[in-house]
Amino acid sequence: MENNNIKTISFIIPCYGSAKTVGTVINEIDEVVSKNDKYDYEVVAVNDCSPDNVWEVLKEIARANKKVKIINLTKNMNRPGAVMAGMTYCSGDYVLLMDDDGQCPMDKLWELMKPMEEGHDVASAKYTEYKQSKFKSFGTIVNRKMSEIIMEKPKDLSFTNFMVLKKYIVDEILKYKNPYPYISGLILRTTRDIVNVQMEERERITGHTTFTFKKMLNLWVNGFTAFSIKPLRISTIIGFITAAIGFVYGIYTIVHKLITHSNILQGYSSLMAVLLFVSGIIMIMLGLIGEYLGRIYISINNSPQFVIKEKINFNQGEENE
């Protein structure tokens, strides 16, 4: 009877370049959860086609601990794709997303879980200070502002990589079958019952971030185009403003010519500046429209969010080893 009251937490860990750290992270999960008799756990670690030997490390851990379930992807899908793979195969009452580098403060787990026990849908850590590079901090700020404008995320709400969701929220998120998943956007379109929990982010155990400029750019573009047509509306407004400026300037030029009877040609530099500005605006708009059309095309072709090569420690019939 007592066992029926035990809730299970599924820890989803996307793994990339973390052969030296993921073992420590999983050991701490086991240590922290084992001290609380109200909860059990499973770990779903997803190898996102890491260039190091993290898959071999995960297989050793999975052999020793059957609560550790591991998934091997055929190609790198970046964090959102790996998270969607983990969500697809997790089974806990609560689903906790975290990193593989040791920066997520596992010692604050029960503080993060408290809002869930109070009935909230999602709880996310909110760090008073980010222990990351200035480049990544800049990306975090831009991504936050973009979410506020494009997806109407409340300004006081913060999404981090240390976050817990109720299972029914995850089930709703998994109804999204298109490529380019954007986790924050999927959460915001599913629920607004989201709370933040203040805590301190840790330093990385070892190594350096794998969050490159390319990945940051992909994240921004994905956020811009995933769940809103606001960018298209903004481009339309910019087009109207640019056209209005050009119309007013044209009227000014005609009136000036009639009043002064001047035969002096307008400056070449200013003319070229206007042409380049307007052309640039047009190219940005066309690029934005092309991005939307490209995503529609890829979605129609049923491009997968992830492709699994191998699974270990799942139920009979679910794994292919």
Side-chain angles (χ1 to χ4, degrees), residues 113-130:
M113 288 297 299
K114 187 177 179 181
M116 311 304 290
E117 296 171 347
E118 295 171 351
H120 296 286
D121 289 336
V122 180
S124 177
K126 185 174 185 178
Y127 301 132
T128 53
E129 180 184 357
Y130 286 92

Side-chain angles (χ1 to χ4, degrees), residues 37-48:
D37 57 8
K38 295 182 179 179
Y39 291 93
D40 197 1
Y41 78 92
E42 68 172 5
V43 173
V44 182
V46 182
N47 174 34
D48 193 16

Side-chain angles (χ1 to χ4, degrees), residues 157-223:
L157 181 62
S158 178
F159 284 116
T160 62
N161 290 344
F162 193 41
M163 178 193 312
V164 61
L165 307 87
K166 285 186 175 177
K167 186 61 165 65
Y168 85 91
I169 297 296
V170 170
D171 292 339
E172 190 65 31
I173 289 173
L174 289 175
K175 292 179 181 179
Y176 180 83
K177 301 299 183 181
N178 295 324
Y180 306 113
Y182 188 67
I183 304 301
S184 299
L186 288 168
I187 292 172
L188 285 170
R189 82 170 190 175
T190 304
T191 181
R192 293 287 170 166
D193 188 6
I194 307 167
V195 297
N196 279 144
V197 181
Q198 293 276 357
M199 57 183 69
E200 293 287 335
E201 186 181 33
R202 293 174 173 177
E203 297 283 354
R204 294 177 64 91
I205 296 175
T206 186
H208 54 82
T209 181
T210 57
F211 189 68
T212 62
F213 176 76
K214 182 180 178 180
K215 290 183 178 181
M216 180 176 68
L217 187 61
N218 288 337
L219 179 65
W220 290 350
V221 172
N222 196 22

Side-chain angles (χ1 to χ4, degrees), residues 49-67:
C49 202
S50 178
D52 61 4
N53 65 327
V54 70
W55 179 243
E56 299 302 321
V57 172
L58 289 174
K59 286 201 290 188
E60 290 182 10
I61 296 171
R63 290 191 191 101
N65 185 352
K66 297 303 179 183
K67 292 182 180 181

Side-chain angles (χ1 to χ4, degrees), residues 92-162:
D93 302 285
Y94 303 103
V95 179
L96 193 143
L97 313 181
M98 63 183 300
D99 286 336
D100 59 348
D101 54 11
Q103 285 194 276
C104 296
M106 264 302 297
D107 56 320
K108 304 295 183 182
L109 171 64
W110 306 122
E111 293 181 23
L112 189 65
M113 288 297 299
K114 187 177 179 181
M116 311 304 290
E117 296 171 347
E118 295 171 351
H120 296 286
D121 289 336
V122 180
S124 177
K126 185 174 185 178
Y127 301 132
T128 53
E129 180 184 357
Y130 286 92
K131 305 295 179 62
Q132 58 189 20
S133 66
K134 292 182 179 179
F135 167 74
K136 192 173 180 180
S137 296
F138 172 73
T140 300
I141 293 170
V142 172
N143 191 49
R144 185 190 307 135
K145 293 298 182 183
M146 178 193 66
S147 298
E148 292 172 4
I149 296 171
I150 303 299
M151 289 176 286
E152 299 179 352
K153 179 180 76 68
K155 290 185 177 181
D156 59 344
L157 181 62
S158 178
F159 284 116
T160 62
N161 290 344
F162 193 41

